[in-house]
Amino acid sequence: MDKTIKPQEKATILIVNDEPIILKLIGDVLAKEGHEIYTADRGDNALKIINDVSIDILVTDIKMPEMDGVQFINEAKKIAPEILVIVITGFPEIDSAINLLKINVYDYIVKPMDPDDVMASVNRAWDRQRQNYENKQLIQDLKSANDLLQQREGRFRSLTENTSDWIWELDVNGVFTYSNPKAYDILGYRQEVIIGKTPFDFMSADEAQRVAGFFRETAQSGKPFSFFENTNVHKDGRHIIIETSGVPFLDKDGNLLGYRGVNRNITDRKQAEIERKQLNERLRESRESRESFQAIVNKNPGGIIIVNKKGIIKFVNPAAELLFRKKADELIGSMFGLPLANGDNEKMELDIITENGKTGTADMRVLETTWLGEPAYLATLFDVTAIKEAEENLIKTNEELINIAQMKTEFISIASHELRTPLTSIKNAVDILLYKKAGELNAKQEQFTAMAAHNIDRLVILLNDLLDTAKLDAGKVKLEFAELDPGYIFQKAVDTFKPQAEAKSQTLEIDYDSLNNIPTIYADYAKIQQVMNNLISNALKFTQEGGKVILSARAISDFGFQSANLKQGEKDSAIRNPQSAIEISVTDNGSGLSMDDQKMIFDKFYQAGHTLDQKSKGSGLGLNISRGLVKAHGGKLLVESEPGKGCRFFFTLPGFSPEDIEMSVLEIEISKLANHPPFSLLCLNLKGIGPLSKHAKGLKIHRQFLAQLKDVAAGVIRQDSDRIIMQKHFGRLIIILPGTAKAGAMIVRNKLKTAFYENPVFFDEQAGQVFSISMPVTFPEDGQIVKKLLKKLQTYQE
Amino acid sequence: MNKQRVLIVDDEPDIVESIKFNLELEDIECLEAYDGEEALLKAKTQNPDLILLDIMLPKMNGYKVARLLSFDETYKNIPIIMLTARTQEKDVLLGEATGAKEYISKPFDMNMLVALVKEYLSKGK
């Protein structure tokens, strides 16, 4: 039994002896020392006492009345193993002293004993015992401390080993001196690998640099840090984001020994953050998008209505509310009441009541759509009341303008007529006088009559010019296109102006070389002659005596074709296929024109400053008219000049011919079909009759004939898509059969032959067939280029 | 030998007179008419060898006169020279379509007109 071991000042001593005198003697001596004394005269009593009391020292005689001394000591030691025994023994019992040594007696005293010896022995024993006790206490304390330490270490270990965080310790150089096993879970490296390396060894180069720098700074400051994020590389190459916190630890002098801390794997958290941000972003975008669309729908000035297939209104936007003058909750759920199923996006008109209670119109377009998963109609409405009004006004205004233009033309026409009539009489009267048909005239009479005659001529020119200008302005110049030979025009002009030129010793000549390689042009002969006359007249007027005027022409390729005064279809094809063109020039070596003059010379009534001949001053409209006439042909009239170096007036004329136009139209038609093969062509050639131009006389008959042919042919060909193109100038009909291959085309050909046999068409009462039907030409079989196909058609004549 | 006879039709007396003056110098007999109806009547009754015909006439315009004459076998061969102040292209075409030989716009060169008249008269012989 573990009695409480207490370090005391005085011992508790048990003296055992069967002689009471000795008991007393020893007792007194020891009591004087201050010890606590117990006595017993028998072994069993002594044992009892030892049992009850905590005895430090046992002083006992070896001889006991009722038991063996050794046995007694053994028993005592059993009860109190710590007890120190001093034995009193007589000489003769020395042998048994050896036994006593065996039982570990502290000391023995031989009788007769000296009480001082007893006292000394007890004191020694007590010192010894006290030491024992102290040692024991120390050991026990140590044991407790150790136990506590173990306990704590156990607690600590189970925490660090089992935590989900990576716990580490670094020295001042950043080398791992401790790492818990969690490093393996986080980075894939075992503790043994970690320890001895630095954290930077597990990072990419850039990151290592950054983090090492951070550690250096922190270590210098000796401060703790928390939640420092850094990216490490897992053994398998993955990037792991770690959140690190650490605190410094110091030695007893306050020097930094290193840092200890915790690493937490926040890769997932970071990922989750990113994903959360993305999700939020997407939600936000989706919401914004939805809001934007809502805004569009709500702010749309046009009414938007959704009606389901049963005709019930499901949705209206604010604009629609306005149009129907009802609120959304009134409209939604009610019948729309108007037909909607008229096909996709067809436009319909609705009558509505506008703000001020008047009736108006709205445009409605209906589309099929879905609404909340079900098929429905989307109707967009737009209040077009104002637009319609404006349209009607515009039409009215337009009509008025046309009226005014018409009136203007009529006015000019009437005015010019009214002016001409008296002018004619004046001229006639003056001419009678001037030509002396009413008698002789003296010199003065003749002079002044001549003056009158001259001015009448001027007036006539002015009148004609004014009328021309008005017609050009009104776009009412109709051109009669015909084949034109520039050489012929030049010659006529020279003939006209030769006398005038000779009067001033001027040379008016034609550059014949320039006429060699120019294409045929098509223009209105009278108008072009007018232009030439105007230019030549100007040239002669503005050139000095003995000067020179040259007429020349040249072919040009790009002449910037403007819109010509042609029928619509012809115009388009001409633009698409600008053939050749020519440029006609009237060049003089007169005084030239200044830049200012050049700019304004084509303006109405503008006269260049230095008319050489006051008498021959014109109306100032000539060039304006010439420019307008050239423009009507689709060309341009321009001037090139330097003061002192003469002038060159030049104009362009397009080189297309009616044949060209007809061919272009045909080519365009055929080109359209190239995307939908196959197709075939047949040609009805008017043999012996030839092109239209050779039949000026029988124009009408020729046209009638072709028209009749076309009628018969139309009766034969089957489909709406088949086309018959009349080429008057080639004297033929081209039949286009889309989607038809050679065999089909042959059938059509045979049908045509039969039809013409049954319905003969005569040209100018000539009996017999005057035309032939070619063999069919098929695309792509007979060729892939339109021009080649047409050429083949020519050769496929019977 | 019968003198050549020309019917001058114009609603302007001055013009008629000045033409008449010039033609008579050429020894050509002149008849006058001042409106379409009169023109038609005189053309049918007076046997002119040539008609100078203005278009803008009261009662019946020159086109109609010319057309009516062209339908009549007896008169369709009388050469007609149309004179007019109207210079629209369509007028020209119309004029040609009615069978007129020439179409002269006013004011004209009298010498040229006289020469033209003489030419057609000599053709007719």
Side-chain angles (χ1 to χ4, degrees):
Chain A
M1 159 165 88
D2 265 342
K3 302 233 176 100
T4 321
I5 301 169
K6 47 194 184 340
Q8 290 161 282
E9 279 301 310
K10 298 296 168 203
T12 313
I13 302 173
L14 173 63
I15 309 167
V16 182
N17 205 304
D18 57 351
E19 290 177 63
I21 300 164
I22 293 178
L23 274 182
K24 190 160 186 310
L25 189 68
I26 299 174
D28 286 345
V29 167
L30 292 181
K32 259 204 221 141
E33 291 294 305
H35 302 303
E36 200 180 338
I37 307 294
Y38 288 85
T39 55
D41 54 5
R42 298 162 52 89
D44 49 14
N45 289 347
L47 286 175
K48 219 161 153 221
I49 293 172
I50 293 172
N51 214 12
D52 294 337
V53 181
S54 170
I55 302 291
D56 296 319
I57 296 170
L58 176 66
V59 180
T60 184
D61 198 302
I62 197 67
K63 261 193 349 208
M64 278 236 165
E66 83 288 4
M67 58 170 42
D68 175 40
V70 177
Q71 196 187 351
F72 164 68
I73 293 171
N74 280 334
E75 288 297 312
K77 278 218 169 174
K78 268 194 203 154
I79 298 170
E82 306 295 317
I83 213 166
L84 273 180
V85 180
I86 298 174
V87 160
I88 302 171
T89 183
F91 244 157
E93 284 93 19
I94 287 292
D95 286 329
S96 36
I98 296 168
N99 288 340
L100 290 176
L101 284 175
K102 287 189 187 157
I103 56 173
N104 198 14
V105 160
Y106 180 68
D107 200 3
Y108 58 92
I109 297 167
V110 178
K111 283 197 258 195
M113 68 192 156
D114 184 349
D116 287 334
D117 286 340
V118 174
M119 191 176 68
S121 182
V122 165
N123 283 341
R124 275 202 312 273
W126 178 228
D127 280 339
R128 182 69 182 278
Q129 188 70 311
R130 265 209 298 240
Q131 248 185 357
N132 279 349
Y133 287 150
E134 273 176 27
N135 281 352
K136 253 210 169 128
Q137 190 68 33
L138 264 173
I139 287 170
Q140 195 149 353
D141 286 345
L142 204 64
K143 188 160 181 288
S144 298
N146 215 34
D147 282 343
L148 196 66
L149 199 66
Q150 283 234 338
Q151 198 183 41
R152 285 192 183 150
E153 201 192 317
R155 197 187 298 158
F156 174 70
R157 190 177 296 276
S158 72
L159 281 176
T160 60
E161 301 284 305
N162 297 310
T163 183
S164 56
D165 293 333
W166 171 11
I167 297 175
W168 49 267
E169 179 186 282
L170 300 178
D171 67 16
V172 278
N173 298 316
V175 178
F176 278 112
T177 46
Y178 170 76
S179 166
N180 78 344
K182 198 65 184 173
Y184 179 72
D185 290 343
I186 293 181
L187 281 193
Y189 294 101
R190 301 217 171 267
Q191 286 160 289
E192 310 86 76
V193 175
I194 304 263
I195 294 173
K197 293 211 170 57
T198 66
F200 329 120
D201 292 331
F202 301 98
M203 299 174 186
S204 69
D206 290 336
E207 183 72 336
Q209 207 172 12
R210 178 181 80 96
V211 178
F214 171 79
F215 182 74
R216 248 197 315 275
E217 278 173 31
T218 312
Q220 266 176 10
S221 73
K223 290 208 169 74
F225 62 93
S226 50
F227 306 127
F228 175 71
E229 287 184 17
N230 55 92
T231 309
N232 294 226
V233 183
H234 194 280
K235 190 168 185 190
D236 63 20
R238 278 180 294 143
H239 282 244
I240 309 288
I241 304 174
I242 287 183
E243 188 181 72
T244 305
S245 307
V247 293
F249 65 97
L250 318 166
D251 67 12
K252 59 177 167 38
D253 298 322
N255 299 319
L256 183 71
L257 289 174
Y259 274 80
R260 295 180 183 129
V262 174
N263 281 355
R264 185 164 287 179
N265 183 356
I266 57 168
T267 314
D268 288 341
R269 190 180 83 199
K270 281 260 161 218
Q271 187 60 30
E273 244 173 54
I274 291 171
E275 280 171 16
R276 189 172 46 86
K277 267 204 200 118
Q278 280 177 347
L279 188 65
N280 276 347
E281 191 57 33
R282 270 201 288 276
L283 280 173
R284 191 183 57 79
E285 277 173 15
S286 155
R287 192 189 59 231
E288 277 177 6
S289 168
R290 192 164 38 88
E291 282 169 4
S292 304
F293 276 109
Q294 263 176 1
I296 292 172
V297 167
N298 287 335
K299 294 210 168 132
N300 202 352
I304 297 176
I305 301 178
I306 306 272
V307 179
N308 74 4
K309 291 281 177 170
K310 297 205 183 107
I312 308 281
I313 299 176
K314 287 299 193 180
F315 170 81
V316 293
N317 75 342
E321 291 179 305
L322 277 172
L323 279 172
F324 288 108
R325 318 223 66 77
K326 285 197 185 147
K327 285 278 165 214
D329 38 20
E330 277 181 72
L331 290 166
I332 294 177
S334 68
M335 288 286 292
F336 183 58
L338 292 161
L340 288 166
N342 272 344
D344 244 7
N345 212 25
E346 245 188 53
K347 205 164 75 141
M348 285 178 266
E349 279 188 1
L350 282 183
D351 290 326
I352 55 165
I353 315 274
T354 60
E355 283 171 5
N356 30 17
K358 293 203 228 145
T359 50
T361 328
D363 260 5
M364 179 169 81
R365 279 181 198 263
V366 180
L367 278 174
E368 296 216 18
T369 184
T370 51
W371 177 257
L372 302 179
E374 306 222 312
Y377 295 108
L378 169 70
T380 43
L381 289 101
F382 204 77
D383 185 351
V384 294
T385 316
I387 295 174
K388 274 200 107 116
E389 266 182 47
E391 246 175 43
E392 278 162 17
N393 284 342
L394 201 65
I395 292 171
K396 253 193 273 170
T397 310
N398 213 31
E399 280 169 2
E400 277 172 25
L401 282 171
I402 292 173
N403 276 343
I404 290 171
Q406 275 172 357
M407 275 166 38
K408 182 170 146 196
T409 318
E410 272 179 42
F411 174 76
I412 289 166
S413 181
I414 293 168
S416 84
H417 174 261
E418 294 303 314
L419 287 169
R420 279 170 203 275
T421 306
L423 201 52
T424 307
S425 297
I426 297 171
K427 182 175 163 63
N428 290 348
V430 168
D431 278 353
I432 288 172
L433 289 173
L434 191 58
Y435 289 104
K436 298 169 182 162
K437 293 188 181 178
E440 270 301 327
L441 298 171
N442 67 35
K444 279 292 171 197
Q445 284 167 339
E446 190 168 352
Q447 180 191 339
F448 288 104
T449 315
M451 183 194 290
H454 172 68
N455 279 288
I456 290 167
D457 285 340
R458 280 182 64 200
L459 205 53
V460 172
I461 292 171
L462 183 61
L463 198 59
N464 285 333
D465 283 351
L466 274 170
L467 195 61
D468 280 348
T469 304
K471 276 195 270 183
L472 279 167
D473 284 350
K476 286 202 177 268
V477 174
K478 193 147 173 241
L479 302 175
E480 289 277 321
F481 278 84
E483 191 176 318
L484 221 53
D485 175 15
Y488 177 71
I489 296 184
F490 287 2
Q491 194 55 57
K492 289 219 91 177
V494 166
D495 292 343
T496 309
F497 285 94
K498 202 156 174 185
Q500 189 176 329
E502 274 170 5
K504 274 170 81 176
S505 310
Q506 289 168 326
T507 329
L508 175 60
E509 53 183 50
I510 299 170
D511 179 354
Y512 288 102
D513 286 339
S514 70
L515 294 171
N516 281 337
N517 285 320
I518 52 175
T520 323
I521 52 161
Y522 289 84
D524 183 314
Y525 166 74
K527 304 291 187 281
I528 299 303
Q529 191 75 67
Q530 189 175 342
V531 172
M532 288 300 300
N533 289 352
N534 174 235
L535 296 178
I536 294 170
S537 162
N538 284 346
L540 292 174
K541 265 193 256 174
F542 286 80
T543 305
Q544 64 288 349
E545 296 245 341
K548 198 184 218 194
V549 176
I550 304 175
L551 311 178
S552 62
R554 66 181 180 123
I556 56 171
S557 52
D558 174 26
F559 67 106
F561 185 36
Q562 311 283 305
S563 60
N565 214 356
L566 303 169
K567 286 201 315 240
Q568 189 59 35
E570 290 170 339
K571 175 162 60 166
D572 285 345
S573 58
I575 290 170
R576 268 186 265 242
N577 296 288
Q579 305 283 316
S580 44
I582 70 165
E583 184 189 86
I584 291 176
S585 300
V586 175
T587 316
D588 67 58
N589 61 354
S591 45
L593 288 169
S594 68
M595 279 309 285
D596 288 338
D597 279 339
Q598 284 179 49
K599 276 191 209 142
M600 302 201 276
I601 195 106
F602 295 101
D603 293 350
K604 286 196 183 53
F605 303 116
Y606 186 84
Q607 311 243 8
H610 54 285
T611 335
L612 294 169
D613 203 337
Q614 188 61 7
K615 263 210 238 170
S616 52
K617 214 174 182 182
S619 62
L621 289 169
L623 281 172
N624 183 269
I625 292 168
S626 295
R627 180 171 256 192
L629 290 173
V630 169
K631 192 169 172 195
H633 281 81
K636 276 195 193 144
L637 171 60
L638 300 161
V639 65
E640 206 176 60
S641 175
E642 262 184 64
K645 293 204 181 148
C647 282
R648 176 172 84 100
F649 280 83
F650 57 100
F651 61 95
T652 46
L653 289 174
F656 55 80
S657 63
E659 280 90 333
D660 288 341
I661 294 172
E662 279 183 1
M663 280 312 288
S664 301
V665 168
L666 180 63
E667 278 173 26
I668 289 167
E669 284 295 325
I670 294 174
S671 306
K672 283 188 215 163
L673 293 174
N675 290 327
H676 307 280
F679 64 84
S680 294
L681 303 171
L682 286 170
C683 179
L684 249 76
N685 231 307
L686 308 175
K687 51 182 187 194
I689 299 178
L692 181 67
S693 55
K694 301 217 163 78
H695 290 271
K697 182 192 168 190
L699 253 169
K700 192 168 154 197
I701 301 168
H702 193 276
R703 281 187 196 152
Q704 278 174 350
F705 176 65
L706 275 175
Q708 281 176 306
L709 283 180
K710 190 174 173 185
D711 278 339
V712 176
V716 170
I717 62 174
R718 312 150 293 164
Q719 297 156 219
D720 288 338
S721 56
D722 295 340
R723 293 281 318 270
I724 303 176
I725 300 215
M726 209 192 297
Q727 294 199 311
K728 303 189 282 287
H729 291 84
F730 289 93
R732 66 186 184 193
L733 295 179
I734 306 280
I735 300 174
I736 305 178
L737 305 166
T740 312
K742 191 79 83 135
M746 279 304 291
I747 295 173
V748 174
R749 181 174 183 276
N750 290 335
K751 280 197 185 157
L752 280 168
K753 290 197 95 163
T754 316
F756 283 114
Y757 183 72
E758 289 169 0
N759 305 290
V761 181
F762 301 110
F763 177 75
D764 202 16
E765 287 140 49
Q766 250 180 283
Q769 296 286 30
V770 290
F771 59 89
S772 65
I773 311 179
S774 74
M775 300 299 277
V777 161
T778 306
F779 171 95
E781 194 179 311
D782 291 317
Q784 304 218 5
I785 299 172
V786 174
K787 278 191 162 61
K788 285 219 174 114
L789 281 176
L790 292 170
K791 230 181 180 170
K792 265 218 169 113
L793 204 58
Q794 284 297 101
T795 62
Y796 275 26
Q797 302 309 311
E798 256 186 323
Chain B
M1 180 189 75
N2 272 346
K3 246 194 195 173
Q4 302 270 309
R5 184 181 271 191
V6 169
L7 173 59
I8 307 171
V9 187
D10 199 310
D11 61 338
E12 281 279 322
D14 285 351
I15 291 179
V16 174
E17 186 172 338
S18 53
I19 296 175
K20 183 171 169 187
F21 181 82
N22 276 283
L23 288 180
E24 281 177 352
L25 283 179
E26 300 291 329
D27 208 26
I28 297 170
E29 194 185 326
C30 294
L31 305 165
E32 302 134 39
Y34 297 94
D35 65 60
E37 275 181 10
E38 193 182 356
L40 207 55
L41 185 68
K42 290 202 174 163
K44 290 186 175 180
T45 57
Q46 302 281 355
N47 223 357
D49 299 300
L50 184 135
I51 308 176
L52 289 172
L53 186 55
D54 184 26
I55 293 177
M56 297 302 289
L57 297 169
K59 293 195 186 160
M60 192 195 293
N61 70 43
Y63 293 132
K64 205 159 180 200
V65 172
R67 213 163 36 241
L68 285 171
L69 288 173
S70 72
F71 292 157
D72 197 325
E73 280 298 322
T74 332
Y75 308 109
K76 73 177 190 185
N77 291 317
I78 308 177
I80 299 176
I81 297 176
M82 299 196 100
L83 301 167
T84 189
R86 293 188 78 104
T87 53
Q88 305 277 57
E89 278 78 7
K90 66 170 164 39
D91 302 319
V92 176
L93 281 174
L94 263 174
E96 282 177 357
T98 53
K101 301 287 183 203
E102 297 285 344
Y103 188 95
I104 310 265
S105 59
K106 299 174 185 172
F108 47 81
D109 183 325
M110 185 60 78
N111 292 338
M112 189 202 68
L113 182 65
V114 170
L116 211 53
V117 167
K118 282 163 78 172
E119 188 189 323
Y120 278 99
L121 285 175
S122 64
K123 274 200 209 158
K125 275 208 189 103

